[in-house]
Amino acid sequence: MLLVPEIAAGAADITEWRRTLHAMPEILYDLPETAAFVAGKLRDFGCDEVVTGIGQTGVVGIVTGRLGEGGRTVGLRADMDALPIAEATPRPYASRRPGVMHACGHDGHMAMLLGAARHLCRTRTFRGRVAFVFQPAEEGGAGALAMIEDGLMERFGIEAIYGMHNLPGLSVGQIALRPGPIMAATDEFEIAIRGKASHAALPHEGADPILAGAALVQALQQISARNVDPLDSLVLSVTRFHSGFARNIIPDEAHVSGTVRSLTAPSQDLAERRIEAIAQGVAAAHGASASVVYKRNYPVTVNDVREAAFCAAVAADVCGAGAVNAAAPPLMAAEDFSYMLEARPGAFIFLGNGASAGLHNPGYDFDDAAIPFGSSYWVRLVERALAN
């Protein structure tokens, strides 16, 4: 195991930064304190350039190596935003903002990348440049896309991009990744079923949208069970069903909505087509009509095959080969780092967070014991990627 000695020795500082960030969570693009903290640290470390306001509130720090002229530029990304969740931990550094917390570990992601930035600013034992990319609005705001559209890749000459996320349930000191799809595309749908209202005692005089909606909820499950190749993962979940306003009235409308997670573009296309067809057919069978709004959100996160192999080798340098799963199963959650991997080759890894509460849980906390592994991974990645 080859943790960077200086990173391990300085882990207490990085932990302090992480806990400071944990106590001051901010949402989506509204990150004045978080972005200022990150930019201030990057300037203190001696980055050659610190740029704020990329993609509204993103921050980028640039460091040039000292091993000769030229070389590539690689980007390392950490997400900055928190979630609208009330924290339920007893930590002394718990969120001081009611209803907002770092329930996904972005505080840890920022701290680990800051730890790597401090070390690389000091050593500069590489040829080329590193872009430390601190991104807003990962939690549903597509901050990665906003930074890309604001010229992130072109402005800083980024040729490859790398990301990391902590993973509860994976032991601290372990890393998991895979080539190809590693996280799912996430879509959402809203279906309005329009029937005909009637008295509850006279259902034959109306067209019951609740009955149609109940049938629709079940019928939609045939998409995963009967329309998609069993070897191709697709998850369709109905998460809301709203209708009615009185016990003795059959209403005239029902609203069904949910989410679709898929790992391939053909499955995503199929799900959209089948939801429309099933909604129309089920509604018609009940004497009602339906309208569907289908929205595509984050695309599939796809690791470049060569870059995934490279990152697995780096992870083995840091954690030991036995602690790296280079063929981990994909997760059906989504990640807007997918946009960055569409723009440039690179890879996304999972870093063990131990037996913590799950992500997006009010009892979650980032495990500070993971910090030396994450920061060392970033340092070793840069030193190997920009060795010549």
Side-chain angles (χ1 to χ4, degrees):
M1 185 166 61
L2 296 174
L3 290 177
V4 177
E6 294 84 357
I7 291 289
D13 291 342
I14 306 173
T15 297
E16 181 181 353
W17 304 337
R18 201 282 293 184
R19 295 181 177 185
T20 298
L21 289 163
H22 187 90
M24 51 183 239
E26 297 174 303
I27 296 290
L28 292 173
Y29 291 97
D30 188 16
L31 306 171
E33 289 188 38
T34 304
F37 181 93
V38 166
K41 290 295 181 188
L42 294 174
R43 293 187 184 102
D44 291 345
F45 300 156
C47 283
D48 301 314
E49 185 179 6
V50 178
V51 182
T52 60
I54 305 295
Q56 297 188 41
T57 50
V59 180
V60 178
I62 300 295
V63 177
T64 303
R66 58 179 174 81
L67 300 183
E69 297 293 328
R72 300 190 305 147
T73 298
V74 299
L76 313 179
R77 175 270 207 169
D79 33 19
M80 296 192 290
D81 56 323
L83 285 155
I85 295 174
E87 182 160 0
T89 76
R91 305 288 191 264
Y93 51 83
S95 170
R96 63 172 185 259
R97 295 195 167 110
V100 183
M101 75 169 289
H102 273 296
C104 205
H106 296 184
D107 50 338
H109 302 167
M110 288 185 281
M112 291 187 293
L113 188 53
L114 286 172
R118 179 175 68 175
H119 179 82
L120 291 168
C121 281
R122 291 171 175 171
T123 62
R124 299 179 184 253
T125 53
F126 56 91
R127 180 173 178 266
R129 301 198 314 165
V130 182
F132 300 102
V133 178
F134 292 84
Q135 178 210 304
E138 188 278 327
E139 299 289 358
L145 182 60
M147 293 190 82
I148 291 166
E149 291 178 340
D150 209 9
L152 171 69
M153 303 301 179
E154 296 78 13
R155 178 170 180 176
F156 301 104
I158 296 171
E159 298 170 56
I161 189 81
Y162 303 93
M164 174 193 300
H165 204 291
N166 77 94
L167 186 61
L170 184 67
S171 297
V172 171
Q174 294 189 350
I175 286 175
L177 71 158
R178 64 179 286 111
I182 189 168
M183 296 188 76
T186 174
D187 301 340
E188 59 191 55
F189 60 88
E190 299 272 351
I191 304 172
I193 303 170
R194 295 178 177 84
K196 181 182 178 183
S198 67
H199 194 288
L202 303 168
H204 61 288
E205 294 183 355
D208 188 345
I210 294 178
L211 184 62
L216 176 60
V217 170
Q218 294 195 22
L220 289 174
Q221 299 310 310
Q222 72 176 278
I223 297 173
S224 297
R226 290 295 179 266
N227 299 147
V228 176
D229 186 326
L231 299 179
D232 188 4
S233 299
L234 184 139
V235 176
L236 186 153
S237 296
V238 174
T239 54
R240 289 188 297 183
F241 190 135
H242 294 162
S243 188
F245 52 89
R247 288 189 300 273
N248 62 346
I249 298 172
I250 293 174
D252 59 358
E253 284 194 1
H255 295 268
V256 175
S257 57
T259 180
V260 177
R261 310 295 174 112
S262 56
L263 290 175
T264 67
S267 289
Q268 187 179 32
D269 294 340
L270 181 147
E272 182 173 3
R273 292 195 307 271
R274 293 298 293 144
I275 288 172
E276 176 72 35
I278 291 170
Q280 297 299 339
V282 170
H286 289 78
S289 63
S291 61
V292 179
V293 176
Y294 192 95
K295 180 182 177 183
R296 298 196 179 200
N297 293 321
Y298 297 169
V300 180
T301 305
V302 182
N303 281 344
D304 179 87
V305 173
R306 179 184 296 180
E307 295 290 357
F310 167 70
C311 289
V314 173
D317 281 351
V318 173
C319 302
V324 179
N325 183 354
L331 297 186
M332 298 308 288
E335 164 64 63
D336 78 341
F337 190 70
S338 54
Y339 292 112
M340 294 195 177
L341 290 178
E342 288 184 336
R344 293 293 185 272
F348 189 79
I349 70 160
F350 295 115
L351 178 72
N353 200 59
S356 69
L359 302 174
H360 294 211
N361 184 301
Y364 169 86
D365 192 18
F366 182 86
D367 192 331
D368 292 321
I371 284 173
F373 296 96
S375 288
S376 293
Y377 170 82
W378 285 136
V379 170
R380 298 297 186 206
L381 185 153
V382 168
E383 290 175 346
R384 286 189 60 157
L386 301 180
N388 50 55

